[in-house]
Structures are given as structure tokens and as C-alpha cells.
Amino acid sequence: MTDLIDYLLAERHRIPNQVIIDCLTLARHPHIPGQRISMASLLMVLDAGTQPSLSQRLIKLKRYGLLDYERGYRGGPGYLITRVGPAAS
């Protein structure tokens, strides 16, 4: 977590505050990454309110290179988050 905080502080000039907060929130959650998480649970974790808002926030995290995830499908609903934080170089 310390490395993530150091990275986010170093990049705060280009990453919006909400994206930083969302990244840290997801990184602290015990079931992320690695397990499929329901949309309802993810809405609560990020306090996103609605599915469209949640989707926008996840897209922003991905755009800034801080998240890899897969959206669910009929047999496996929810989101599978595979990485929180910057990609290893």
C-alpha cells in the first residue's frame, strides 16, 4: 500500500482527486483484486450511487492505468477486478 500511495502522490498533478480516492478505496477492500464482486457491493464500496456512475468511475480508473477489470456476464455477474494500482513495469 505504501508503494501505491507514493505513486499516487507523485502523479497527483495528472490524476484527479476522485480517481486517487477510488483507487485507494479499492486497494483497501479485502476482496479486491482477485474475486468477482457484485455490482451492489461495488456500489457500496465506492459509494457510487448508481450503476452508470460506477461504470464511469471504473472507466476513469482504467484510463489512468490504475485498474484492470472485466465486467460480468449472464453466468458470472458483477466485476472481476484483476489489478488495482499502476501496472508493474
Side-chain angles (χ1 to χ4, degrees):
M1 186 72 141
T2 303
D3 290 340
L4 176 58
I5 292 169
D6 290 343
Y7 175 83
L8 293 171
L9 287 174
E11 297 295 319
R12 70 182 183 272
H13 64 281
R14 71 170 191 91
I15 301 174
N17 289 338
Q18 185 62 56
V19 174
I20 291 172
I21 292 167
D22 288 346
C23 183
L24 290 171
T25 300
L26 290 175
R28 287 186 10 184
H29 196 275
H31 301 292
I32 300 172
Q35 294 183 10
R36 189 164 292 281
I37 184 168
S38 72
M39 182 176 49
S41 294
L42 202 48
L43 281 167
M44 287 189 338
V45 167
L46 290 178
D47 194 25
T50 64
Q51 190 278 329
S53 175
L54 173 64
S55 181
Q56 290 288 329
R57 288 166 71 174
L58 294 176
I59 288 168
K60 283 183 182 179
L61 282 160
K62 189 169 187 155
R63 186 180 310 140
Y64 284 97
L66 297 173
L67 185 69
D68 279 338
Y69 70 96
E70 297 173 12
R71 283 191 268 168
Y73 50 91
R74 187 175 295 260
Y79 294 86
L80 176 60
I81 296 175
T82 56
R83 178 181 54 86
V84 177
S89 32

